[in-house]
Amino acid sequence: MTPKNQRTKDCTPADRAGRLAQAEGFWQDAEDLRELGEASPNSIVTLYVHAGIAAGDAICCAKLGEYSSSANHAEAIALLEKADASLAPPLARLVGMKSAAGYGASPMSAQRVTTARSAAEKLVLAARAL
């Protein structure tokens, strides 16, 4: 476990289960909207981003016993890198899309939806497996 500070929180089994349930919910909502084909691509990407963030927290809970409580997502990426270095890049890709998807005026491209889906899927599947 890393040294505790105000930017991480100890994780209980209930915390881990809760973050995994949130990851699953965001993932399924994104998948449902994507399959409808009429939803805003920005909404879909935003849901994939939230799925990935929640899954990353669940992974950190399982492997490190803590998760990031910082508003700075770079710290969550760094913590995830300690838990599993192969999962930090997908989370970084998702976090990199967060502002454009949630606050940008331009619609997300189909390629960005695909990229977000792939990154979120990797994280959600890894969280499920723990």
Side-chain angles (χ1 to χ4, degrees):
M1 225 184 293
T2 59
K4 294 290 173 269
N5 61 47
Q6 65 274 30
R7 299 194 183 274
T8 64
K9 289 186 180 179
D10 287 334
C11 188
T12 67
D15 293 329
R16 178 178 167 208
R19 291 304 279 156
L20 179 57
Q22 289 172 333
E24 296 279 4
F26 289 132
W27 169 261
Q28 191 58 58
D29 289 348
E31 288 289 277
D32 291 347
L33 287 175
R34 188 181 60 80
E35 288 173 15
L36 283 173
E38 297 178 13
S40 158
N42 293 51
S43 297
I44 296 166
V45 170
T46 297
L47 288 166
Y48 284 135
V49 168
H50 286 293
I53 291 169
D57 287 348
I59 292 162
C60 288
C61 283
K63 293 194 169 199
L64 303 174
E66 64 184 343
Y67 65 100
S68 177
S69 60
S70 173
N72 181 349
H73 291 301
E75 293 180 25
I77 294 165
L79 190 62
L80 183 58
E81 188 165 19
K82 291 178 184 180
D84 186 330
S86 72
L87 297 174
L91 183 57
R93 277 191 293 282
L94 289 168
V95 167
M97 293 184 212
K98 185 177 184 215
S99 290
Y103 309 111
S106 300
M108 295 281 101
S109 68
Q111 180 59 44
R112 299 228 34 204
V113 172
T114 299
T115 298
R117 183 178 188 270
S118 177
E121 181 176 42
K122 185 170 186 174
L123 290 158
V124 171
L125 289 174
R128 283 179 189 158
L130 297 175

mmCIF file of all heavy atoms in Angstrom, residues 21-35 47-48 51 124 128:
data_model
loop_
_atom_site.group_PDB
_atom_site.id
_atom_site.type_symbol
_atom_site.label_atom_id
_atom_site.label_comp_id
_atom_site.label_asym_id
_atom_site.label_seq_id
_atom_site.Cartn_x
_atom_site.Cartn_y
_atom_site.Cartn_z
ATOM 1 N N ALA A 21 -19.939 -1.777 -9.271
ATOM 2 C CA ALA A 21 -21.341 -1.662 -9.698
ATOM 3 C C ALA A 21 -21.553 -0.387 -10.514
ATOM 4 O O ALA A 21 -22.285 -0.400 -11.511
ATOM 5 C CB ALA A 21 -22.270 -1.680 -8.481
ATOM 6 N N GLN A 22 -20.917 0.699 -10.107
ATOM 7 C CA GLN A 22 -21.026 1.939 -10.881
ATOM 8 C C GLN A 22 -20.383 1.778 -12.249
ATOM 9 O O GLN A 22 -20.945 2.226 -13.259
ATOM 10 C CB GLN A 22 -20.387 3.097 -10.124
ATOM 11 C CG GLN A 22 -21.193 3.527 -8.919
ATOM 12 C CD GLN A 22 -20.469 4.542 -8.075
ATOM 13 O OE1 GLN A 22 -19.243 4.600 -8.044
ATOM 14 N NE2 GLN A 22 -21.237 5.347 -7.351
ATOM 15 N N ALA A 23 -19.226 1.138 -12.304
ATOM 16 C CA ALA A 23 -18.564 0.898 -13.588
ATOM 17 C C ALA A 23 -19.467 0.085 -14.504
ATOM 18 O O ALA A 23 -19.634 0.414 -15.689
ATOM 19 C CB ALA A 23 -17.229 0.166 -13.374
ATOM 20 N N GLU A 24 -20.057 -0.954 -13.970
ATOM 21 C CA GLU A 24 -20.959 -1.805 -14.754
ATOM 22 C C GLU A 24 -22.172 -1.012 -15.244
ATOM 23 O O GLU A 24 -22.589 -1.152 -16.398
ATOM 24 C CB GLU A 24 -21.432 -3.001 -13.921
ATOM 25 C CG GLU A 24 -20.350 -3.958 -13.517
ATOM 26 C CD GLU A 24 -19.964 -4.945 -14.594
ATOM 27 O OE1 GLU A 24 -20.484 -4.866 -15.727
ATOM 28 O OE2 GLU A 24 -19.119 -5.799 -14.289
ATOM 29 N N GLY A 25 -22.723 -0.181 -14.386
ATOM 30 C CA GLY A 25 -23.891 0.609 -14.760
ATOM 31 C C GLY A 25 -23.588 1.614 -15.858
ATOM 32 O O GLY A 25 -24.334 1.731 -16.841
ATOM 33 N N PHE A 26 -22.484 2.354 -15.695
ATOM 34 C CA PHE A 26 -22.090 3.310 -16.730
ATOM 35 C C PHE A 26 -21.809 2.584 -18.046
ATOM 36 O O PHE A 26 -22.194 3.051 -19.117
ATOM 37 C CB PHE A 26 -20.850 4.107 -16.312
ATOM 38 C CG PHE A 26 -21.081 5.120 -15.217
ATOM 39 C CD1 PHE A 26 -20.222 5.180 -14.130
ATOM 40 C CD2 PHE A 26 -22.133 6.022 -15.272
ATOM 41 C CE1 PHE A 26 -20.403 6.115 -13.128
ATOM 42 C CE2 PHE A 26 -22.334 6.968 -14.282
ATOM 43 C CZ PHE A 26 -21.463 7.010 -13.201
ATOM 44 N N TRP A 27 -21.108 1.442 -17.955
ATOM 45 C CA TRP A 27 -20.790 0.659 -19.146
ATOM 46 C C TRP A 27 -22.073 0.239 -19.868
ATOM 47 O O TRP A 27 -22.212 0.426 -21.075
ATOM 48 C CB TRP A 27 -19.959 -0.573 -18.769
ATOM 49 C CG TRP A 27 -19.831 -1.545 -19.885
ATOM 50 C CD1 TRP A 27 -20.564 -2.686 -20.062
ATOM 51 C CD2 TRP A 27 -18.972 -1.457 -21.021
ATOM 52 N NE1 TRP A 27 -20.185 -3.309 -21.227
ATOM 53 C CE2 TRP A 27 -19.206 -2.585 -21.829
ATOM 54 C CE3 TRP A 27 -18.009 -0.534 -21.415
ATOM 55 C CZ2 TRP A 27 -18.526 -2.805 -23.018
ATOM 56 C CZ3 TRP A 27 -17.322 -0.764 -22.604
ATOM 57 C CH2 TRP A 27 -17.585 -1.877 -23.390
ATOM 58 N N GLN A 28 -23.012 -0.321 -19.121
ATOM 59 C CA GLN A 28 -24.235 -0.819 -19.748
ATOM 60 C C GLN A 28 -25.062 0.318 -20.333
ATOM 61 O O GLN A 28 -25.632 0.176 -21.423
ATOM 62 C CB GLN A 28 -25.071 -1.628 -18.758
ATOM 63 C CG GLN A 28 -26.203 -2.387 -19.421
ATOM 64 C CD GLN A 28 -25.705 -3.340 -20.496
ATOM 65 O OE1 GLN A 28 -24.897 -4.217 -20.225
ATOM 66 N NE2 GLN A 28 -26.154 -3.151 -21.726
ATOM 67 N N ASP A 29 -25.129 1.431 -19.636
ATOM 68 C CA ASP A 29 -25.870 2.577 -20.171
ATOM 69 C C ASP A 29 -25.239 3.073 -21.479
ATOM 70 O O ASP A 29 -25.949 3.386 -22.439
ATOM 71 C CB ASP A 29 -25.916 3.718 -19.150
ATOM 72 C CG ASP A 29 -26.818 3.405 -17.964
ATOM 73 O OD1 ASP A 29 -27.592 2.416 -18.010
ATOM 74 O OD2 ASP A 29 -26.734 4.151 -16.965
ATOM 75 N N ALA A 30 -23.906 3.128 -21.523
ATOM 76 C CA ALA A 30 -23.221 3.545 -22.750
ATOM 77 C C ALA A 30 -23.508 2.564 -23.882
ATOM 78 O O ALA A 30 -23.784 2.975 -25.016
ATOM 79 C CB ALA A 30 -21.716 3.656 -22.508
ATOM 80 N N GLU A 31 -23.435 1.283 -23.574
ATOM 81 C CA GLU A 31 -23.702 0.263 -24.586
ATOM 82 C C GLU A 31 -25.138 0.361 -25.111
ATOM 83 O O GLU A 31 -25.377 0.259 -26.316
ATOM 84 C CB GLU A 31 -23.457 -1.139 -24.010
ATOM 85 C CG GLU A 31 -21.997 -1.460 -23.791
ATOM 86 C CD GLU A 31 -21.263 -1.662 -25.103
ATOM 87 O OE1 GLU A 31 -21.318 -2.768 -25.662
ATOM 88 O OE2 GLU A 31 -20.631 -0.684 -25.572
ATOM 89 N N ASP A 32 -26.071 0.555 -24.209
ATOM 90 C CA ASP A 32 -27.484 0.672 -24.616
ATOM 91 C C ASP A 32 -27.684 1.880 -25.532
ATOM 92 O O ASP A 32 -28.353 1.775 -26.570
ATOM 93 C CB ASP A 32 -28.395 0.788 -23.390
ATOM 94 C CG ASP A 32 -28.476 -0.499 -22.578
ATOM 95 O OD1 ASP A 32 -28.041 -1.571 -23.071
ATOM 96 O OD2 ASP A 32 -28.961 -0.421 -21.432
ATOM 97 N N LEU A 33 -27.112 3.021 -25.156
ATOM 98 C CA LEU A 33 -27.252 4.221 -25.986
ATOM 99 C C LEU A 33 -26.568 4.043 -27.341
ATOM 100 O O LEU A 33 -27.092 4.462 -28.371
ATOM 101 C CB LEU A 33 -26.675 5.441 -25.273
ATOM 102 C CG LEU A 33 -27.489 5.990 -24.112
ATOM 103 C CD1 LEU A 33 -26.738 7.129 -23.433
ATOM 104 C CD2 LEU A 33 -28.863 6.455 -24.564
ATOM 105 N N ARG A 34 -25.392 3.414 -27.332
ATOM 106 C CA ARG A 34 -24.668 3.189 -28.592
ATOM 107 C C ARG A 34 -25.482 2.299 -29.523
ATOM 108 O O ARG A 34 -25.587 2.560 -30.725
ATOM 109 C CB ARG A 34 -23.314 2.553 -28.300
ATOM 110 C CG ARG A 34 -22.391 2.441 -29.511
ATOM 111 C CD ARG A 34 -21.080 1.780 -29.137
ATOM 112 N NE ARG A 34 -21.248 0.444 -28.621
ATOM 113 C CZ ARG A 34 -21.437 -0.644 -29.373
ATOM 114 N NH1 ARG A 34 -21.459 -0.554 -30.672
ATOM 115 N NH2 ARG A 34 -21.588 -1.815 -28.803
ATOM 116 N N GLU A 35 -26.106 1.280 -28.978
ATOM 117 C CA GLU A 35 -26.902 0.365 -29.793
ATOM 118 C C GLU A 35 -28.157 1.035 -30.356
ATOM 119 O O GLU A 35 -28.610 0.686 -31.441
ATOM 120 C CB GLU A 35 -27.270 -0.876 -28.990
ATOM 121 C CG GLU A 35 -26.075 -1.788 -28.766
ATOM 122 C CD GLU A 35 -26.360 -2.951 -27.832
ATOM 123 O OE1 GLU A 35 -27.547 -3.245 -27.569
ATOM 124 O OE2 GLU A 35 -25.389 -3.561 -27.360
ATOM 125 N N LEU A 47 -20.259 8.486 -20.671
ATOM 126 C CA LEU A 47 -20.565 7.287 -19.892
ATOM 127 C C LEU A 47 -19.404 6.293 -19.911
ATOM 128 O O LEU A 47 -19.081 5.680 -18.881
ATOM 129 C CB LEU A 47 -21.846 6.631 -20.392
ATOM 130 C CG LEU A 47 -23.127 7.393 -20.050
ATOM 131 C CD1 LEU A 47 -24.299 6.873 -20.862
ATOM 132 C CD2 LEU A 47 -23.412 7.300 -18.549
ATOM 133 N N TYR A 48 -18.753 6.131 -21.052
ATOM 134 C CA TYR A 48 -17.576 5.263 -21.097
ATOM 135 C C TYR A 48 -16.462 5.808 -20.203
ATOM 136 O O TYR A 48 -15.773 5.039 -19.521
ATOM 137 C CB TYR A 48 -17.062 5.095 -22.530
ATOM 138 C CG TYR A 48 -17.874 4.166 -23.390
ATOM 139 C CD1 TYR A 48 -18.206 4.515 -24.691
ATOM 140 C CD2 TYR A 48 -18.293 2.921 -22.927
ATOM 141 C CE1 TYR A 48 -18.933 3.656 -25.504
ATOM 142 C CE2 TYR A 48 -19.025 2.054 -23.741
ATOM 143 C CZ TYR A 48 -19.343 2.425 -25.029
ATOM 144 O OH TYR A 48 -20.059 1.577 -25.830
ATOM 145 N N ALA A 51 -17.367 4.968 -16.704
ATOM 146 C CA ALA A 51 -17.189 3.530 -16.500
ATOM 147 C C ALA A 51 -15.722 3.212 -16.254
ATOM 148 O O ALA A 51 -15.375 2.438 -15.347
ATOM 149 C CB ALA A 51 -17.710 2.744 -17.705
ATOM 150 N N VAL A 124 -13.170 -2.245 -17.491
ATOM 151 C CA VAL A 124 -14.301 -2.924 -16.868
ATOM 152 C C VAL A 124 -14.050 -4.438 -16.793
ATOM 153 O O VAL A 124 -14.297 -5.071 -15.769
ATOM 154 C CB VAL A 124 -15.627 -2.586 -17.573
ATOM 155 C CG1 VAL A 124 -16.767 -3.456 -17.065
ATOM 156 C CG2 VAL A 124 -15.972 -1.106 -17.372
ATOM 157 N N ARG A 128 -13.816 -6.637 -13.356
ATOM 158 C CA ARG A 128 -14.674 -7.814 -13.151
ATOM 159 C C ARG A 128 -13.866 -9.039 -12.761
ATOM 160 O O ARG A 128 -14.324 -9.880 -12.016
ATOM 161 C CB ARG A 128 -15.418 -8.170 -14.437
ATOM 162 C CG ARG A 128 -16.582 -7.320 -14.770
ATOM 163 C CD ARG A 128 -17.183 -7.809 -16.079
ATOM 164 N NE ARG A 128 -18.184 -6.887 -16.560
ATOM 165 C CZ ARG A 128 -18.568 -6.809 -17.818
ATOM 166 N NH1 ARG A 128 -18.041 -7.607 -18.748
ATOM 167 N NH2 ARG A 128 -19.490 -5.947 -18.187
#
